[in-house]
Each structure stands twice: as C-alpha cells, then as structure tokens.
Amino acid sequence: MVSSAPIDFWFDFSSPYSYIASEWIDALAARHGRTVRRHAILLGATFQAAELKSPVSYPIKREYSLHDFARSARFHGVAYTPPPVFPIPTQNAARVFWWLADTQGDAAASVWSREGLRAVFTRGVALHEPAALKAFAAEQGLDADAAEAVWNDAAWKARLKRANDEAVAAGVFGAPFFRIDGEPFWGNDRQPQMERWLAQGPF
C-alpha cells in the first residue's frame, strides 16, 4: 500500500544544509504525493545528546565545511551568501516557528521556516539579534511585538525544549534530518536515496 504520510524534516535556522534541503524537500515530497512536516530544533541540543560538535568547531573541518556549504548550494542551484556571523543562536526564531505551528498551523510555520532560512543564507539577516528578528517578523506580516513576547514567554521556551527532546528521542542527531515512514535519513546529500525510497520502497 502506498503511503501518503508526511515526510518529517528537522532543521535549525543556523544550518546551511538545512537551508539547501528546505529548497528541495517540498518538490521532492510533491512528486510522490507527500507533504512535509517541519520541526524547528536547536542543533546544540542534538549535538549534546550525541556527544558531537559542529563541524566548524574543528579547525581541520571548518574550512572544508565553509567551502562545501557554498559548493552544495551551487550544485542544487540555490542562492547562497555566507552570513557575516556563523553559526548563530536560533532559539528565538525557533520559538516563533512553534508558536505559528501551534496557533496558525503547519502552513504558516513552513513559510516562516523557509523565509527565515533564506533570510540568513541569502541576505545575511542576523536572526539572533532581537531587532533584526522583529524586523523580519514584521516583513513576514506578523505583529513584531507579539513575536517578541512569544520568544520571551516561558511557555514557548518550554515548547521548543519539548521539540528538542522529542527530536533526540526520535534519533535525530543533526540537521537536516528526515524520516519517511519511520526510515531515517540524515543530511542534504541523502536526497537521491530519499527519492528512490519514495518511488520504490525499501532497498
């Protein structure tokens, strides 16, 4: 029986590979009659659980990783401008994501995620800075003061923590991370495997 269950997609607003994957995942899902269910998380929480560090934390990996971010974007045909500050803390943008997801639905949260990633990786918008995040919220048609209240609200801080805990419990240790009918795929470079899995089933 062909499944129509959503593809789960975990991302961090400071992840270049999440940005690139965000640009192709919806089209991939649509080709196979699927939708995408996004989950904003903090990579730091998954790294801590997995006893890992960001690749750019290691001198021997940093220059390669920075080079590969741009090369991967070119390969996928998406715009990419290295942000002036990288990585950045993204908890406030992620809290707004969950506020939108829980109060307005997945569609509104999906737009926030796609446009937020584009803002960071094509325009260098400093989403970690409150003034910049408020301006971005207003640009997206949100009440900027309401968004600021959300990211300072204990309830939405707890909501993001729950999302991080659920991600770790689901085996997520990096981003982008996907699950298709329970099958995990980690990384932007898993696209060909995901396409085949969706088309033909397990291999």
Side-chain angles (χ1 to χ4, degrees):
M1 179 177 178
V2 176
S3 173
S4 60
I7 297 171
D8 287 297
F9 169 32
W10 288 267
F11 70 94
D12 185 311
F13 282 102
S14 190
S15 163
Y17 294 128
S18 289
Y19 156 63
I20 297 168
S22 177
E23 294 296 305
W24 56 254
I25 184 60
D26 291 290
L28 180 147
R31 285 194 294 274
H32 300 280
R34 304 289 189 109
T35 57
V36 179
R37 182 166 51 206
R38 287 168 164 79
H39 306 262
I41 59 169
L42 302 181
L43 275 174
T46 64
F47 287 160
Q48 183 177 14
E51 300 181 1
L52 298 171
K53 292 183 180 180
S54 166
V56 298
S57 298
Y58 302 93
I60 196 169
K61 290 184 178 180
R62 181 178 176 82
E63 291 307 313
Y64 174 83
S65 296
L66 295 175
H67 178 74
D68 190 60
F69 298 155
R71 180 177 61 194
S72 296
R74 292 194 304 271
F75 179 80
H76 286 278
V78 301
Y80 178 79
T81 300
V85 178
F86 177 81
I88 60 172
T90 60
Q91 66 271 18
N92 289 342
R95 289 167 187 157
V96 174
F97 170 90
W98 286 111
W99 170 57
L100 291 171
D102 292 354
T103 63
Q104 297 186 29
D106 288 343
S110 294
V111 171
W112 176 259
S113 69
R114 281 192 298 270
E115 294 304 321
L117 286 162
R118 288 171 181 169
V120 173
F121 294 108
T122 69
R123 297 191 282 135
V125 177
L127 291 188
H128 62 297
E129 296 179 355
L133 186 54
K134 285 186 71 174
F136 176 71
E139 179 186 299
Q140 295 301 307
L142 302 180
D143 181 323
D145 290 332
E148 183 178 34
V150 163
W151 75 64
N152 287 309
D153 189 312
W156 296 108
K157 292 179 180 181
R159 179 66 179 91
L160 175 58
K161 183 181 185 305
R162 177 158 63 89
N164 289 327
D165 291 344
E166 289 172 349
V168 171
V172 176
F173 54 83
F177 200 99
F178 309 90
R179 277 194 183 274
I180 301 172
D181 303 329
E183 183 72 12
F185 297 88
W186 170 51
N188 177 65
D189 57 351
R190 297 297 92 183
Q191 182 185 8
Q193 289 190 11
M194 293 167 63
E195 188 88 58
R196 180 173 167 186
W197 191 276
L198 286 162
Q200 302 178 14
F203 51 82

